[in-house]
Amino acid sequence: MQPGSDGWQPLHPLSPLLRAGRMLAVIAVAATQSIGAFLDGGFITVIAVLVAVLFSSAYGYVAWLFMRFRMQDEHIELREGILFRSHKRVPLARLETVDILRPVLARIFGVAEVRVELAGSKGSELRLRYLSEKDAVATREKLLSAHAAESPAPTPADFPGYEVFKQTSPEVVVAAVKTSDLILGYAAAQIAIPVFVFVIGDAVVAVVSWQAALVALVSVGAVMITWLFAVVALIEKSWGFRLSESDGGFAIRRGLLNLLTQKVPLHRVQAVRIVTPLIWRPFKRSRLVVDIAGYGDERGAEKQASSVLLPIGPPESVRAILNKVFPDLELTDVEFQMPPRIARWRAPFFWRTYGVAWTPTFAITRAGVFKRNIDVVPHRKIQSLRITNGPWQKRLGLATLHVDTAGNNVNSAAKHRQIAQTYKLALASRAADQAD
C-alpha cells in the first residue's frame, strides 16, 4: 500500500480479523450452536449471534482505520487503538533485528508480521501485524537499510567473528536439523523418561491395589496429554530449522505451521549453553541455547524457540556454530576443575558434575546429571559477579560464584567452591575484562 502525504500508511485490511483469532473461534462455536437453536425455533439465539458478528466486524473495521505506521529518516512509528490510543516511536539507531513471522492463519491469507527488536530491550518493542508478504519483506529491507545508515558499522572489537561476517555473501548453511532427530530427540527428552517413571510407579501401586493404579493412570494420563501438546508445540516451532550465515550474524528459518525468519546479530550474543540430556548422550546429540539481548520477554514455547541456535545436532554441528560465535574457543582443550571433596556434604549426588574452567577469554562452567549444561560466557560480556553462601555452605567453607549477563536463558554459576577460590575467579574475570 502507498503511504499518504504525511507518510502514514495502513496495515493490511485483514489485520483486525487475524488478531482476533480467539474471538472468532468463540463466535464460530456460538454460530454452530445457533444452527441447532434455529432448527428448534430459538430465533433469539440466532439474532444474538448475528448481532455479535456485525458488532465485531464493525469494531474491527473501525480499529483498522486507526492502525497506521510510517517510517521516517530516524525512526519508525506505529499508531493503533480506539478507546485507548497507543503511539510507539522507535529510533532506528536502537534497532537490533527485524524478523518476519508467518503464523499459519496469516499464511493462508498471504500476510506476515514484522517484528522489530531493540538493543537493550527484553521483548518485541514494535509489531506490525499484519502486512502483505511482499510489503513485509520490503519494510524489513527498508528498516535494515535505514538502520545501517543511522548506526556505525560493527568493528572487530564488537565481536571476535567480525571478519567472518563482514561482507554480505550468498547464503551459506551452517547447520540444518534432521526431522528424525527433532522428533525422536524431543520426544525422548521430554516424554520418554516421565512416561517410564510413571509406568514403573503405577506398576508398583498396582501390586497393592489395582483400583488405585487405575485411578492414577486416568488422572496422570490427562496431565501427560497436556504435556504432549507442549512437546508438539516445541517441535512445530523448530521444524525445518536452518541456520545460515548472514551479514553480521546468523539467519534462522524455522517453523511448520508458523514460519519465522529470524536474524541473530553475532555481537549481541551474551552467552552460550550446550545442553545434553542424559537420553541424548548415547546418540551424541546436544542443543545450543543462547542469551541474546532483546530476546528475553517471550513466553512458553516461543521463548524457548527464540533462544535456540540449534534445537538438536551432532558434535560437528555444535562445533561449527561455536566456531562462528566464539572463534577462539576450543572446548576439547578445556580442563574442568571439580569442587573440593567437602562439597559432597552439600550436594552428595551432583557435586562431581560441577566443573569450572577459567580461560583468558571465557568463564566456562559445567553442571547437571540428567541434563548436563556447559555454559560459556566471555569475560567482556559479564554484567556482574555475585558470591553467595548460605548457612550450610558457610559451615563447610564453601560459596557459589554467579556469572550474570544481559539475559535470562543462561544462568552460569561456579557452584560450591572454596570461598577463597570464588574471590580468585571473580578477580581473574575482572582482570581479563580490563585487559580485553
Side-chain angles (χ1 to χ4, degrees):
M1 295 184 181
Q2 296 297 325
S5 58
D6 56 356
W8 290 99
Q9 58 188 100
L11 300 178
H12 196 278
L14 292 177
S15 295
L17 179 69
L18 297 173
R19 294 176 68 170
R22 294 182 180 179
M23 182 182 297
L24 290 177
V26 173
I27 293 177
V29 172
T32 303
Q33 294 177 349
S34 68
I35 295 176
F38 176 76
L39 296 177
D40 294 336
F43 296 102
I44 296 179
T45 303
V46 177
I47 293 174
V49 171
L50 290 176
V51 170
V53 172
L54 292 174
F55 175 79
S56 300
S57 301
Y59 183 85
Y61 176 73
V62 176
W64 173 74
L65 292 177
F66 284 88
M67 294 179 186
R68 293 290 186 273
F69 79 97
R70 70 175 177 181
M71 291 178 54
Q72 302 284 30
D73 294 336
E74 299 180 354
H75 57 264
I76 178 173
E77 297 178 86
L78 174 65
R79 288 179 177 175
E80 57 184 342
I82 301 176
L83 299 178
F84 301 95
R85 299 299 305 276
S86 172
H87 184 179
K88 293 183 179 180
R89 182 172 177 172
V90 175
L92 295 179
R94 287 188 56 209
L95 187 149
E96 193 58 54
T97 63
V98 183
D99 301 332
I100 297 179
L101 290 82
R102 298 179 176 90
V104 57
L105 191 59
R107 291 171 67 185
I108 294 175
F109 293 99
V111 298
E113 173 188 342
V114 178
R115 184 174 68 180
V116 179
E117 304 281 353
L118 299 188
S121 173
K122 288 190 175 182
S124 300
E125 194 70 16
L126 186 143
R127 294 191 175 197
L128 301 180
R129 297 181 292 180
Y130 292 86
L131 301 173
S132 68
E133 292 189 352
K134 180 180 178 180
D135 289 341
V137 174
T139 300
R140 180 179 184 270
E141 295 303 321
K142 288 180 182 178
L143 284 170
L144 293 177
S145 299
H147 171 63
E150 280 291 318
S151 304
T155 64
D158 291 325
F159 53 95
Y162 173 72
E163 294 298 333
V164 177
F165 298 101
K166 184 177 180 180
Q167 301 295 333
T168 303
S169 58
E171 182 183 48
V172 177
V173 178
V174 179
V177 176
K178 296 181 179 179
T179 303
S180 57
D181 279 357
L182 184 65
I183 296 176
L184 295 178
Y186 271 64
Q190 303 289 337
I191 299 176
I193 293 180
V195 169
F196 176 77
V197 173
F198 169 69
V199 169
I200 296 298
D202 202 51
V204 173
V205 174
V207 174
V208 180
S209 172
W210 68 268
Q211 294 93 339
L214 182 61
V215 172
L217 181 63
V218 173
S219 60
V220 177
V223 177
M224 294 303 298
I225 291 175
T226 304
W227 198 339
L228 178 62
F229 278 112
V231 174
V232 170
L234 285 175
I235 293 175
E236 187 277 329
K237 290 186 179 300
S238 299
W239 192 274
F241 187 96
R242 187 179 66 192
L243 183 74
S244 308
E245 291 184 11
S246 177
D247 186 28
F250 293 120
I252 295 176
R253 184 181 176 89
R254 59 177 172 85
L256 177 61
L257 300 177
N258 303 285
L259 185 63
L260 171 65
T261 304
Q262 174 185 357
K263 183 178 179 181
V264 178
L266 197 62
H267 68 284
R268 300 299 295 179
V269 175
Q270 308 297 304
V272 174
R273 168 170 288 182
I274 305 171
V275 183
T276 309
L278 180 63
I279 201 168
W280 287 7
R281 292 183 203 173
F283 307 99
K284 297 182 179 180
R285 293 294 186 270
S286 298
R287 178 167 67 249
L288 274 182
V289 181
V290 294
D291 264 335
I292 306 173
Y295 280 92
D297 210 27
E298 292 94 347
R299 296 182 179 179
E302 181 61 37
K303 175 182 176 181
Q304 296 185 46
S306 295
S307 62
V308 171
L309 270 189
L310 183 67
I312 181 173
E316 52 269 23
S317 296
V318 174
R319 193 177 303 112
I321 297 174
L322 284 178
N323 286 341
K324 299 293 185 181
V325 180
F326 301 136
D328 49 352
L329 172 67
E330 187 53 64
L331 283 178
T332 56
D333 297 336
V334 172
E335 294 184 4
F336 289 97
Q337 298 180 9
M338 293 174 53
R341 291 186 60 84
I342 198 172
R344 68 185 186 275
W345 297 107
R346 175 60 181 83
F349 301 106
F350 304 107
W351 73 279
R352 288 182 177 273
T353 69
Y354 298 137
V356 170
W358 246 236
T359 73
T361 309
F362 302 100
I364 308 173
T365 60
R366 182 190 64 191
V369 174
F370 299 105
K371 186 170 67 174
R372 185 178 62 201
N373 297 329
I374 297 179
D375 298 336
V376 181
V377 184
H379 293 298
R380 59 190 175 82
K381 295 287 188 178
I382 297 176
Q383 299 289 312
S384 65
L385 294 164
R386 295 178 293 113
I387 297 177
T388 61
N389 62 334
W392 196 353
Q393 283 183 314
K394 189 178 299 184
R395 187 174 182 86
L396 297 173
L398 302 175
T400 295
L401 175 64
H402 300 271
V403 180
D404 300 324
T405 62
N408 55 10
N409 296 309
V410 179
N411 302 310
S412 181
K415 295 185 176 181
H416 311 315
R417 325 299 298 188
Q418 292 179 340
I419 295 178
Q421 186 186 15
T422 59
Y423 280 98
K424 183 178 179 181
L425 291 173
L427 291 174
S429 179
R430 284 309 179 208
D433 182 23
Q434 294 175 2
D436 202 19

